[in-house]
Amino acid sequence: MKESSSASWKRLVEDFQFRRFLVEKSLHLITGQSAIIRAGHRLDTLLLQYPNMGFDEHDGCTDDEYDAKMMQSHLIAASLQLGPLLFTEFCSCSYNQSHTSLHGSGKASSSCELPLATLALKAFVACIRRIAIDIGQHSLSKAKRVSTLIHFAVHKASSCLPTTKDRWDFFPTSTMTGAGEKDTHDIKEGVSNEDMELRRVLKAVISPIVPYQNGDKVVWRGGLLSELVAHCMDMEATECCDLLESAASVIEDPDIRQQMGVYLLRCWDYVGPEVTWTGILGLEHDCSYSGSQNCSKSASKALEVA
């Protein structure tokens, strides 16, 4: 009997080997390891869909230089398309302990051995690095490209995982401010709007577990990184530090970068069991021991980034 389309879709969704295959292929494409896009292949699908990709015709370049610029621009487009899907895959897999670094030793050495959650986040970080490169006269600045990608990724994740939407929205992801918190009180004048926008988008990732004034009551909330640390997900937390390092590299204002470094290190602050707090994903893995003391690899990475 012929399998229905819905049954086929369900079977593929539940096939984690197939999902790993897609994530690995995406990672290979974004990092340039795949032969899907090469300079000079003028009939690839991305070129047909986006014939100029923000560049003027040749723009005074030789054919080879123009092909190289076009390839980089195509990879930026691919990153903007694949990034939100990869980030959503990471969020989804984080709920299943067997697909995280909590399963087994968590000491994998190659990409094919990485837990699926770690691999998906690694591929998303590759998307950020790809769109953050300097490719000359692109229509969007690096900071704008990065903030756009992260904003789309958060929107996609909250749409596919509706229970997380309010938690993402709690932190500023646009021009809004978080509950009772003024987002601009500690930033001097003259900072570009694009730097400020990227800072706001990253707050849901980098915020430590701290109390917030929410109406008449005080609530404790933590960003994505602090939640990973609290749940001892060391490999995922390390990739999250790479995410923040890649995103912060395009911020020009030194005060914002310094402030982000402080937030980053505070994600390892110890929060006692007497404190009830809420993370972005709402993970419920075993936290009987201190995550901050069992995330040595990511802590070392955080010190390096900060």
Side-chain angles (χ1 to χ4, degrees), residues 157-190:
S158 61
S159 297
C160 294
L161 302 168
T163 57
T164 68
K165 186 177 187 304
D166 290 342
R167 300 170 195 152
W168 285 112
D169 291 345
F170 181 86
F171 296 96
T173 55
S174 60
T175 57
M176 298 174 61
T177 59
E181 181 183 354
K182 298 298 183 181
D183 190 43
T184 59
H185 75 281
D186 51 358
I187 300 298
K188 63 185 180 182
E189 296 182 358

